[in-house]
Amino acid sequence: MRAVLGAVLLLLLLGVAGPSRASPDEPVGVWPLDPRPDVVRHFEPPPTPYAAGHRGVDLAGSPGQAVHAALAGTVGFAGSIGGKPVVTVLHGGRRTTYEPVVASVERGQPVAAGDVLGRLVVTDSHCFPSACLHWGLVEGEGDDRTYLDPLSLVGGGPVRLLPLWRDDPVTVRLPWSPPLWRWRRPVDWVA
Ligand SMILES: [Zn+2]
């Protein structure tokens, strides 16, 4: 009996002292708009890098509103892509993107979470004629890039794999989820 009790106590202790669930991918960022904006369109990742989808989220804002860095990093791009003003901030192997935003920062400039990157404009807005910020989170480069749900940085919104399952968020462990998303998505991001 004493051995059984000892085993139970040991299991309880292991449970308490076991591996922490904390990870670097837990929400650590700040919303790029203040006050906390409404999400007017969610993340709809494309099945391949070149397929249709929505590679980020749209946050409701107003013209001229300040846009803030979600995480500390270094400005990787501040300028125009195809006529659309874009700011990108590098965070190690990942980057956050903000558009359409007229930059007040320069490439190579270090920024802290919450620092102002520029001003939201309506040109090329995903919500035209309304203003909204298209906010993206990307890992990797070129064909190896993977789009992630930026709301995971602020603890908002379920992670969705494909628009088809919009009303039924799924976990990465399901056997039929696309391999790209199954093994690249950190486990802690399971909806
Ligand atoms: Zn968008």
Side-chain angles (χ1 to χ4, degrees), residues 57-69:
V57 297
D58 290 341
L59 307 177
S62 54
Q65 187 172 356
V67 175
H68 306 265

Side-chain angles (χ1 to χ4, degrees), residues 62-96:
S62 54
Q65 187 172 356
V67 175
H68 306 265
L71 298 172
T74 304
V75 176
F77 182 86
S80 177
I81 298 177
K84 177 184 290 193
V86 176
V87 178
T88 297
V89 180
L90 308 175
H91 320 281
R94 294 189 295 176
R95 60 189 185 276
T96 47

